[in-house]
Amino acid sequence: MTAEAILANTRSLDAADTTRDPQALADRIIDCLVHRIGKDQRAAKPHDWLTAAVLTVRDDVIERWMTSTRATQASGAKRVYYLSLEFLIGRLLRDAIANLGRAEEFDAALKLLGVDLAMIEEIEPDAALGNGGLGRLAACFMESLASLNLPAYGYGIRYVNGMFRQRIDDGWQVELPETWLAHGNPWEFERRESAYIIGFGGEVVGTETGAVEWTPDEKIEAVAVDTPVVGWRGERVNTLRLWTARAFDPIRLDAFNAGDHAGALANQVRAETLVRVLYPADSSPAGHELRLRQEYFFSSASIQDIVRRHVQYGNDIRTLHEKAAIQLNDTHPAVSVAELMRLLVDHHGLGFDEAWDITRKTFGYTNHTLLPEALESWPLPLFERLLPRHMQIVYAINARLLKEARRAPGMDDRAISAISLIDEGGERRIRMANLAFAGSHSVNGVAALHTELMKQTVFADLHRLYPDRINNKTNGITPRRWLQQCNPGLTDLIREAIGDGFLDDASRLADLRPFTEDAAFQERFAAIKRANKAALSQHLREVMGVRLDPDALFDVQVKRIHEYKRQLLNIIETVALYDQIRNHPERDWVPRVKLFAGKAASSYHNAKLIIKLTNDVARKINADPAVHGLLSVAFAPNYNVSLAEKIMPAADLSEQISTAGMEASGTGNMKLALNGALTIGTLDGANIEIRDHVGAKDIVIFGLTADEVAAKRADGYRPSEVIEAHPDLNQAISAIETGVFSPGEPDRYRDLMAGLREHDWFMLAADFPSYAEGQREIDRRWTDPAGWRAATIRNVAGMGWFSSDRTIGEYAHDIWSVR
């Protein structure tokens, strides 16, 4: 059957869907409940109904999944392979039925059975496969790849316990294991035939033919577990392939029978450790080694799978780059470059030069950060001990790279040292970002500013050597999940106003602009926003016991807790505002709800301290009758995709206040603006492009630019002088450092505040006056309801360009050369 005929079969599936009625679907759900779960309808619990609904829709997804795979095979199309250590996919039931266009049908069918679809959606666990923007971006990209009918695989790790589930005890973050797989996962399929040997350690020896052979002293089996990814309108279903690990000998019976029960299971425990936790703390040597083992484990399994599929379909290994485009999502999978070289040279007998040419044509590399600590590097002894053959390959690649650099004009010893894959300064380390750069034909940043800073800073010398390699691909988000699914009220209003075109082409949101000043449209828009705020308030009351006023301005900062993201700046300004309200009760203050959410890395002391400070400030402010109804603060625990889907539609103000030049892009800024929040932010990441698309008057920009930050640091910035010169700032910092918010432990925040007075690397003090003025500008705008509504509607209208469909279209055309 031709690819065209197979795709025609997909369209026939679409037609068949439209003929299904709720009663027939209800019968199918009951059949699943009885015959696949083994439950009588009268005895079924909510989780049984959830599983029955998932299995029912999964049956239809499988048909489309197989059809998509057959069509790709029949056409010989080039595939995209997206390697990412994170895939923050969230809940999948609503996503699948919405993209299939069957949400109303499932809702009606379950109602016939006395079951509420919204209720069972709420008990579906979030897949604990990521933590922040990197993982959510990967999930959006996978959905857009399917929606644009591009054949693709996502590759990652099937984490059993994720990063952690966050609980707040007495204001402190407590890390608990995620248990999302405790009752199984009805979406996934184990592929026992897709299993690969992953080696560690051992030695490399020469053979009689002059080749080399790596004999690892430890071997682990990587086994594929597949999850279908449904594209918009269900025309294509792609695959998210995650790896789980198992030992070849899960139990040593001799040791077990001898009484060493724990030792008998040591091999299996060691294997399972690879897939237990996302980002294990690397402050210890054991943690450092585990991170490297994890990254090689999933990279090797993925590259082996890609090469196996290419050869299995009858292709010459020399045409790999013509049939496969491999994208490295940040530096974590960079070892894939060396792994592909190993397979091409050692297993397929290619010469080094030919293998290197194929490798560079196959890989693309996306950089997500300019922070030195996030540009991974590994101690050379550790890398060589775990991956001795890859160490040889890295040396060989480095020799070629440095010789090429030496021949290039204007490359002095300093530049060559910066380009080298081996950092010789102090402890010798392998620079994985340089390896990814050297081994890729395309290196992209994720916002215009970020890409330019890549050229000027971390990759300046590599950019001089390869001036055509760096390009920009500004991030995007899928409008299906981040508008249509999480904000159905706004979606319906937009459909009434401009029709359904924006559902397929987000750029059509621009058609909303004529409605920005329409009073009737504004009133309905505002009513939807208030309903979303009331729903979030009710949720947080149930979860936290906190009461929030839906009529107040919801001021939201939700993201990973990190000093460069400057939650601390927000908190200090909140303390200053608290003082002003108490000192000047006669003024007409705008009621505000300050809402924070996000996780701090387990070993990141200052980030965890900022969470505690946020909760301490919240406790004092919320209990003070002097500001009751005017200011409240809440920290929502365990921020994940499902919580974000409640927060984004309810936000009035989006805090995007990172130190300029340090945020690669951001995607939370896009989600919040798409749902009608005004942004207060620095000229950092994608904030710049958001300003360009929504209009400079409909975003509040404050603070230093990236160039000004660099200049201030170079000029000997003295934050203590700035603090002393601004009484509101000085008073707020003094209150925090002297224990006003921590009376039981007055010195709790003394060191944190001392860091601001003495160093202030992230420019909180420098930006505070401008930030505070920006917040008062927000107050002024809020007191003009019509003007505020018009501005937020213009934000929605301007966000179509930030669809991940646009981003993926650019990757496909400019980097992957796929149609």
Side-chain angles (χ1 to χ4, degrees):
M1 184 181 290
T2 65
E4 290 77 10
I6 293 171
L7 289 172
N9 184 51
T10 301
R11 288 186 282 274
S12 73
L13 286 171
D14 288 332
D17 280 345
T18 63
T19 65
R20 292 175 177 155
D21 63 83
Q23 185 59 59
L25 181 58
D27 292 341
R28 290 182 58 207
I29 293 172
I30 290 295
D31 186 67
C32 272
L33 184 71
V34 172
H35 294 107
R36 298 168 73 176
I37 302 174
K39 277 291 185 75
D40 182 88
Q41 180 177 350
R42 290 168 295 184
K45 303 298 182 185
H47 64 267
D48 298 317
W49 289 114
L50 170 64
T51 304
V54 169
L55 293 176
T56 301
V57 72
R58 194 185 75 167
D59 287 344
D60 296 336
V61 169
I62 290 170
E63 295 290 337
R64 297 164 184 274
W65 199 7
M66 292 182 175
T67 298
S68 299
T69 302
R70 293 189 196 110
T72 302
Q73 292 172 355
S75 66
K78 188 176 188 179
R79 281 184 169 91
V80 174
Y81 297 104
Y82 197 80
L83 274 60
S84 178
L85 205 58
E86 296 185 45
F87 285 95
L88 202 57
I89 57 177
R91 296 167 175 163
L92 294 181
L93 177 57
R94 169 63 67 176
D95 198 48
I97 62 177
N99 276 6
L100 291 173
R102 303 186 64 191
E104 292 182 2
E105 183 188 0
F106 265 83
D107 189 34
L110 286 165
K111 275 188 171 66
L112 292 174
L113 301 172
V115 179
D116 180 18
L117 175 60
M119 180 271 293
I120 65 170
E121 286 175 346
E122 280 294 313
I123 64 173
E124 181 180 9
D126 274 44
L129 300 172
N131 173 47
L134 181 82
R136 186 52 231 173
L137 179 77
C140 285
F141 279 7
M142 287 301 299
E143 196 267 2
S144 279
L145 281 160
S147 295
L148 295 179
N149 203 14
L150 296 170
Y153 273 73
Y155 282 106
I157 293 178
R158 179 182 178 268
Y159 301 103
V160 177
N161 299 122
M163 185 170 169
F164 58 81
R165 176 169 56 88
Q166 182 193 57
R167 192 176 71 199
I168 303 299
D169 288 355
D170 190 30
W172 291 103
Q173 171 178 288
V174 176
E175 297 103 24
L176 301 169
E178 289 275 10
T179 55
W180 73 289
L181 290 171
H183 302 292
N185 178 9
W187 289 107
E188 66 183 22
F189 298 81
E190 183 178 292
R191 306 300 192 193
R192 297 181 183 179
E193 70 281 6
S194 297
Y196 301 94
I197 297 173
I198 313 299
F200 295 99
E203 61 179 346
V204 181
V205 297
T207 67
E208 294 180 356
T209 63
V212 297
E213 184 174 304
W214 176 30
T215 306
D217 60 16
E218 178 187 0
K219 294 180 180 179
I220 290 171
E221 192 173 28
V223 181
V225 179
D226 289 352
T227 299
V229 179
V230 183
W232 176 235
R233 301 201 186 278
E235 186 170 349
R236 170 171 286 280
V237 179
N238 281 330
T239 301
L240 175 59
R241 174 158 286 186
L242 304 174
W243 300 105
T244 189
R246 65 187 180 200
F248 284 96
D249 296 311
I251 182 171
R252 288 178 49 213
L253 284 176
D254 58 340
F256 192 87
N257 291 330
D260 184 10
H261 302 145
L265 300 171
N267 288 342
Q268 184 61 24
V269 170
R270 186 167 172 80
E272 290 178 353
T273 300
L274 288 171
V275 297
R276 278 285 170 188
V277 175
L278 166 67
Y279 300 139
D282 58 0
S283 53
S284 68
H288 208 54
E289 177 175 330
L290 178 56
R291 288 281 290 268
L292 177 56
R293 285 167 59 88
Q294 272 189 330
E295 293 180 9
Y296 177 66
F297 166 78
F298 110 86
S299 296
S300 175
S302 304
I303 298 301
Q304 288 187 63
D305 195 49
I306 293 166
V307 171
R308 186 269 309 163
R309 183 176 298 108
H310 179 76
V311 175
Q312 180 179 308
Y313 290 160
N315 297 303
D316 189 315
I317 192 63
R318 291 174 173 81
T319 65
L320 179 66
H321 60 284
E322 299 173 9
K323 296 293 185 180
I326 305 175
Q327 192 69 28
L328 305 176
N329 190 30
D330 214 12
T331 315
H332 310 119
V335 72
S336 298
V337 172
E339 176 68 359
L340 180 56
M341 287 293 293
R342 181 182 74 86
L343 295 178
L344 294 179
V345 173
D346 295 357
H347 289 243
H348 293 274
L350 299 188
F352 194 93
D353 290 348
E354 186 177 18
W356 184 236
D357 183 59
I358 293 169
T359 295
R360 286 193 298 179
K361 289 178 179 177
T362 303
F363 279 109
Y365 163 50
T366 301
N367 173 272
H368 284 277
T369 182
L370 304 175
L371 298 177
E373 64 268 24
L375 294 173
E376 289 188 315
S377 64
W378 300 108
L380 194 147
L382 170 64
F383 193 94
E384 188 163 24
R385 174 169 58 83
L386 285 181
L387 303 171
R389 177 56 178 144
H390 298 77
M391 188 71 257
Q392 292 179 342
I393 291 170
V394 168
Y395 272 126
I397 294 171
N398 200 41
R400 293 174 56 91
L401 180 67
L402 296 186
K403 288 177 182 177
E404 186 176 357
R406 182 65 70 183
R407 292 193 297 266
M411 289 289 176
D412 56 17
D413 289 342
R414 183 212 55 79
I416 291 172
S417 177
I419 286 169
S420 176
L421 305 186
I422 312 295
D423 183 357
E424 301 285 356
E427 180 190 29
R428 300 179 72 207
R429 302 178 71 92
I430 300 177
R431 295 168 168 150
M432 303 307 287
N434 285 23
L435 176 61
F437 192 112
S440 301
H441 69 279
S442 167
V443 178
N444 71 279
V446 291
L449 175 63
H450 170 236
T451 300
E452 288 307 308
L453 290 174
M454 282 170 56
K455 297 176 182 178
Q456 298 169 22
T457 58
V458 293
F459 296 129
D461 296 293
L462 279 163
H463 176 58
R464 287 172 57 207
L465 185 61
Y466 303 114
D468 299 324
R469 194 165 293 187
I470 294 179
N471 61 93
N472 181 59
K473 298 289 173 282
T474 298
N475 284 341
I477 58 173
T478 169
R480 269 77 61 179
R481 184 178 287 260
W482 295 111
L483 177 60
Q484 297 171 35
Q485 294 171 34
C486 76
N487 202 342
L490 180 56
T491 302
D492 289 344
L493 177 62
I494 295 172
R495 292 177 73 178
E496 288 183 34
I498 64 173
D500 289 352
F502 76 99
L503 299 176
D504 296 288
D505 178 5
S507 67
R508 296 287 297 277
L509 286 169
D511 296 343
L512 272 179
R513 291 192 182 278
F515 293 87
T516 56
E517 307 293 341
D518 184 293
F521 187 88
Q522 283 192 7
E523 287 294 332
R524 294 182 64 190
F525 185 92
I528 292 165
K529 175 66 74 173
R530 193 193 184 283
N532 292 333
K533 292 164 70 173
L536 175 63
S537 299
Q538 179 61 30
H539 173 75
L540 294 179
R541 183 177 177 183
E542 294 170 358
V543 171
M544 304 171 56
V546 63
R547 293 177 180 269
L548 304 178
D549 178 9
D551 292 313
L553 188 158
F554 274 30
D555 179 349
V556 170
Q557 188 173 18
V558 288
K559 54 183 77 246
R560 179 167 55 95
I561 309 298
H562 196 290
E563 287 172 282
Y564 89 81
K565 294 179 182 287
R566 300 203 296 190
Q567 286 91 352
L568 186 55
L569 173 61
N570 192 349
I571 281 294
I572 290 173
E573 199 279 328
T574 301
V575 171
L577 176 60
Y578 173 54
D579 286 336
Q580 291 175 35
I581 294 173
R582 292 189 299 174
N583 293 336
H584 299 283
E586 77 284 1
R587 295 179 184 173
D588 292 328
W589 296 102
V590 169
R592 275 196 191 232
V593 169
K594 287 276 194 175
L595 179 60
F596 298 82
K599 296 179 180 178
S602 302
S603 58
Y604 194 169
H605 172 75
N606 275 4
K608 297 173 81 169
L609 197 59
I610 289 168
I611 291 176
K612 174 60 173 170
L613 174 60
T614 305
N615 283 287
D616 280 348
V617 169
R619 180 159 46 194
K620 185 171 182 64
I621 289 177
N622 296 345
D624 190 340
V627 297
H628 181 69
L630 295 177
L631 182 62
S632 57
V633 182
F635 187 97
N638 203 41
Y639 185 57
N640 58 16
V641 175
S642 296
L643 180 55
E645 289 171 330
K646 294 178 174 66
I647 292 174
M648 301 301 175
D652 294 308
L653 183 64
S654 167
E655 298 265 358
Q656 308 300 327
I657 60 176
S658 53
T659 309
M662 303 194 78
E663 183 72 84
S665 172
T667 52
N669 48 5
M670 303 170 192
K671 296 162 195 164
L672 287 157
L674 179 62
N675 282 277
L678 219 62
T679 299
I680 182 169
T682 51
L683 283 175
D684 196 28
N687 290 353
I688 298 170
E689 287 136 301
I690 290 176
R691 178 199 60 180
D692 295 342
H693 283 268
V694 306
K697 69 177 183 178
D698 293 319
I699 183 172
V700 176
I701 297 296
F702 74 92
L704 302 170
T705 66
D707 288 343
E708 289 168 343
V709 167
K712 189 170 282 290
R713 287 173 178 159
D715 290 344
Y717 168 54
R718 290 179 291 276
S720 59
E721 295 180 3
V722 177
I723 294 169
E724 293 295 332
H726 292 87
D728 290 346
L729 173 59
N730 194 20
Q731 181 175 331
I733 291 176
S734 295
I736 294 170
E737 70 186 347
T738 57
V740 169
F741 298 94
S742 55
E745 189 182 341
D747 291 336
R748 181 181 296 156
Y749 303 112
R750 190 171 297 280
D751 289 344
L752 186 65
M753 295 299 102
L756 294 184
R757 292 188 183 276
E758 296 167 11
H759 308 294
D760 192 23
W761 178 255
F762 299 101
M763 298 287 160
L764 273 72
D767 275 350
F768 179 88
S770 179
Y771 176 58
E773 175 53 36
Q775 293 287 14
R776 302 295 73 78
E777 172 64 18
I778 292 294
D779 288 342
R780 288 189 285 272
R781 293 190 183 197
W782 181 260
T783 57
D784 172 16
W788 180 275
R789 294 167 186 171
T792 56
I793 295 168
R794 283 193 291 269
N795 266 261
V796 177
M799 291 305 294
W801 187 80
F802 294 93
S803 166
S804 51
D805 293 353
R806 184 269 313 159
T807 312
I808 288 298
E810 293 178 2
Y811 274 95
H813 181 271
D814 300 341
I815 298 176
W816 302 329
S817 299
V818 295
R819 292 184 294 114

